[in-house]
Amino acid sequence: LLEYRNPEVAKVYSQVLDTVRPDIVHFHSIQALSASLAHSCKAASIPYVITLHDAWWLCEKQFMVKDDGRYCFQTEIDLRVCASGCTSAAQFTYQRSLALREVLDDAALLLTPSDFQRNLYLANGTPPGRIRVNRNGVLPPQPRNKTDDTPGKVRFAFLGGRAHHKGYFFLRSVFRGLPHSNYLLKICDIHQSLGVKSIDRREWREAGQVEIVPPYDQTTIDAFLAEVDVLLFPSQWKESFGLTIREALARDIWVVMTDSGGTTEDASDGVNANIVPIGDLEGFRAALRNILDDPAFLRTYANPHKRRIRTFAEQAAELQEILVDCVERHSRTESGGEH
């Protein structure tokens, strides 16, 4: 129950609201605190907006990834399917769904980072006028030239860590079927940022060169991606956005990716990316094989659509307009001027 409703957290948050008295509250990923934060806002007559970064409001698994690491692939979510094969208690599943739907319905507005994510919530009962896209922004690239200390090799990067749904094991199978050796594959071990290692280099016995590296952050992103020719994004689930894809596309880096939800909305197959169906091992391998057979285009490649990539500043400007509008509408409603 505390996963979605926590009266003790609501009590503390009410004290915060009484002290700060915000004009509006913008919720993002609040699953650790529970949706009771929204109850505090409603009790204080403070409007709130929710950005729906994932499926937590619809699915107990948050990312719709089942216990076996595989994506659910439901669009219009049938709780009977969830209760029969994925969740542990049917009564909890239905109670949770009803409670969270009430919180969504009471929001001043719902936001999503992509059209894909908006469509997911539309398919599950959200009225079109209650939800809009506020596409995520990325850090714009600093002007610099690509570097190349591995002449003759295609430099791949995989940033998803050692996770089934991010495609780690899928990618390992892809490379094990490649006879080529003219590549350097950089694999980011995201756990290294926490001081531990989760990926063993000995798992990779491929013909090419493989390096296990720590992830980049916003201060090192340009230096890291300046040494990458192709980003690999073999996600095995439907994601709401795909930040690293946009970061790469903004920096003239070709992407080989799966058709994984909101990740594809700034990518165009054959123009700045290769897009293959989720689970299509041979299709993904063929895309890599074509690049390795004829990598010359990478030397002069520039993404013709990179101006479409949203920056942080552009997202923030749009978001400010949205929040101001929500506050004004709430004020009119409270004063009796709008019904």
Side-chain angles (χ1 to χ4, degrees):
L1 184 61
L2 296 180
E3 186 263 346
Y4 70 90
R5 179 180 294 163
N6 191 325
E8 291 303 313
V9 169
K11 189 183 303 181
V12 173
Y13 193 59
S14 293
Q15 296 172 3
V16 173
L17 295 176
D18 288 341
T19 301
V20 179
R21 296 305 303 173
D23 295 314
I24 191 168
V25 172
H26 185 187
F27 293 124
H28 290 270
S29 301
I30 61 173
Q31 55 270 15
L33 297 171
S34 86
S36 294
L37 300 180
H39 299 155
S40 299
C41 290
K42 184 176 180 180
S45 192
I46 297 172
Y48 62 88
V49 168
I50 306 172
T51 292
L52 306 163
H53 292 284
D54 48 52
W56 180 79
W57 298 88
L58 305 173
C59 174
E60 291 173 49
K61 299 300 183 182
Q62 185 177 358
F63 303 115
M64 296 179 66
V65 176
K66 298 186 287 187
D67 290 338
D68 63 2
R70 302 184 185 279
Y71 186 67
C72 172
F73 283 102
Q74 289 194 85
T75 299
E76 184 178 349
I77 296 173
D78 185 342
L79 294 181
R80 293 170 297 181
V81 174
C82 303
S84 64
C86 201
T87 62
S88 57
Q91 184 178 3
F92 175 86
T93 297
Y94 283 94
Q95 288 176 340
R96 178 187 187 276
S97 178
L98 290 172
L100 293 182
R101 170 53 59 184
E102 180 182 346
V103 173
L104 293 178
D105 290 344
D106 286 338
L109 189 66
L110 303 174
L111 302 175
T112 65
S114 64
D115 293 320
F116 167 82
Q117 194 72 352
R118 181 175 184 270
N119 290 336
L120 175 65
Y121 278 82
L122 289 177
N124 288 280
T126 300
R130 301 261 308 124
I131 184 169
R132 63 175 288 183
V133 176
N134 177 231
R135 208 171 304 280
N136 285 345
V138 304
L139 186 71
Q142 296 296 314
R144 61 179 296 159
N145 295 322
K146 286 186 179 181
T147 61
D148 190 355
D149 56 1
T150 57
K153 292 185 177 181
V154 177
R155 299 168 300 174
F156 296 114
F158 169 64
L159 312 177
R162 196 178 191 275
H164 183 284
H165 63 285
K166 285 291 189 179
Y168 175 83
F169 298 97
F170 173 87
L171 191 65
R172 199 171 66 181
S173 296
V174 167
F175 272 92
R176 285 186 176 171
L178 278 175
H180 302 71
S181 60
N182 58 322
Y183 65 84
L184 165 63
L185 171 60
K186 294 186 177 184
I187 302 172
C188 280
D189 185 351
I190 58 179
H191 285 84
Q192 287 191 25
S193 62
L194 303 175
V196 296
K197 295 181 179 180
S198 64
I199 299 176
D200 188 339
R201 170 64 182 84
R202 291 171 295 182
E203 292 181 330
W204 293 79
R205 300 185 296 275
E206 282 56 51
Q209 181 181 354
V210 178
E211 295 180 357
I212 312 301
V213 299
Y216 61 77
D217 58 29
Q218 295 298 284
T219 64
T220 59
I221 177 175
D222 285 293
F224 183 96
L225 292 179
E227 299 178 352
V228 173
D229 301 310
V230 180
L231 175 71
L232 304 179
F233 199 91
S235 181
Q236 299 298 292
W237 63 297
K238 297 287 187 175
E239 306 199 24
S240 67
F241 185 65
L243 177 65
T244 57
I245 288 177
R246 273 69 175 194
E247 291 172 336
L249 291 174
R251 291 163 174 80
D252 297 319
I253 295 172
W254 190 266
V255 180
V256 180
M257 61 187 298
T258 52
D259 186 4
S260 45
T263 60
T264 65
E265 290 176 16
D266 285 306
S268 180
D269 188 47
V271 177
N272 54 19
N274 299 117
I275 304 175
V276 302
I278 288 177
D280 185 357
L281 191 72
E282 288 304 322
F284 208 96
R285 183 181 291 137
L288 299 192
R289 186 166 54 242
N290 289 339
I291 291 171
L292 291 168
D293 283 343
D294 187 16
F297 80 98
L298 294 171
R299 289 198 295 269
T300 58
Y301 163 72
N303 176 14
H305 301 318
K306 64 182 174 184
R307 292 189 180 275
R308 298 179 185 176
I309 307 298
R310 180 73 91 63
T311 65
F312 287 141
E314 290 168 334
Q315 181 193 8
E318 181 184 69
L319 180 59
Q320 182 179 24
E321 292 180 4
I322 291 170
L323 296 179
V324 168
D325 180 66
C326 287
V327 170
E328 291 176 348
R329 284 193 289 110
H330 178 76
S331 297
R332 290 195 298 269
T333 302
E334 289 290 289
S335 63
E338 186 176 296
H339 300 282

